[in-house]
Amino acid sequence: MKLTDLRELMHRRRADYGLGLSFDTFRADPLIASLQWPADVVEQFLYDHGDHGPFERDYGNVDLSTIVWALEAVTAEELSTMPTGPSEAGCIEQFALHPGHYVSVRNSGIHVGVAEMWRDRGTWKRPPLLLDRRLLDSSASGLQVLEGRTRVGILRGRLRENDFVAATHEAWVGRPA
């Protein structure tokens, strides 16, 4: 199954004058349920960004059914140079220019507690999504940031500004089955 196979579901998600499908209804759809992905991964990748143009360009050809997700510890050193998809190259570096700003704007609503996490634990509140690059090109190696570019940008900016950053960070990592 590819992102293009989900277009009709993505359209229904945003339909009905902005009311669309709730996350629970979306996740229960047989196409999504068949992936057996963690709810947090489904929400961040497919529900929030599945029809986002850059995601479609960068990940549209990936067979979603071949991805297995697990929470892993990833070092700050690895994250400090990890790329994102080519359609949004450079965006992590833009977020890194003003980490304090992005922490403050992410510290309200559902994101309350983001500033405290960075201050007290030197990490994010919600694990980002990283993808094994072999899923994109069988000859590639390493990981790339799929979702969570702002979070990784904050980490890089804090490293640059010598602010407290934990040595390791929890992330959802998608690898070939």
Side-chain angles (χ1 to χ4, degrees):
M1 174 187 351
K2 298 186 180 200
L3 281 176
T4 53
D5 298 327
L6 301 175
R7 281 195 178 133
E8 195 255 301
L9 182 60
M10 295 297 174
H11 177 72
R12 284 190 300 139
R13 182 190 90 232
R14 298 205 189 272
D16 300 326
Y17 305 104
L19 300 177
L21 297 176
S22 70
F23 173 66
D24 289 333
T25 302
F26 179 85
R27 186 174 65 154
D29 184 278
L31 283 173
I32 303 302
S34 71
L35 294 171
Q36 299 181 8
W37 288 3
D40 195 27
V41 172
V42 170
E43 185 174 18
Q44 288 189 66
F45 183 5
L46 301 177
Y47 188 74
D48 291 347
H49 298 290
D51 58 354
H52 180 56
F55 271 54
E56 288 181 331
R57 285 188 293 281
D58 294 345
Y59 309 108
N61 291 322
V62 174
D63 184 348
L64 303 176
S65 65
T66 66
I67 305 174
V68 176
W69 294 94
L71 275 174
E72 296 183 15
V74 182
T75 68
E77 184 178 347
E78 290 175 273
L79 291 158
S80 71
T81 59
M82 194 176 290
T84 192
S87 295
E88 295 192 312
C91 77
I92 293 173
E93 291 73 21
Q94 287 299 313
F95 295 128
L97 292 175
H98 307 286
H101 167 75
Y102 290 103
V103 166
S104 69
V105 299
R106 297 277 189 204
N107 199 39
S108 63
I110 62 169
H111 302 291
V112 167
V114 167
E116 291 79 12
M117 285 295 290
W118 281 110
R119 183 192 67 225
D120 299 342
R121 297 186 184 174
T123 193
W124 35 67
K125 183 178 172 185
R126 185 179 195 188
L129 309 183
L130 310 178
L131 195 63
D132 187 314
R133 297 179 82 202
R134 293 176 297 169
L135 289 159
L136 304 167
D137 175 356
S138 60
S139 66
S141 63
L143 301 173
Q144 77 179 43
V145 180
L146 172 71
E147 170 49 15
R149 296 168 308 277
T150 304
R151 286 166 269 181
V152 174
I154 290 168
L155 177 140
R156 289 182 189 177
R158 289 177 63 89
L159 284 170
R160 187 190 73 249
E161 294 178 358
N162 293 314
D163 285 338
F164 172 54
V165 173
T168 60
H169 304 266
E170 195 171 65
W172 287 107
V173 178
R175 298 192 185 276

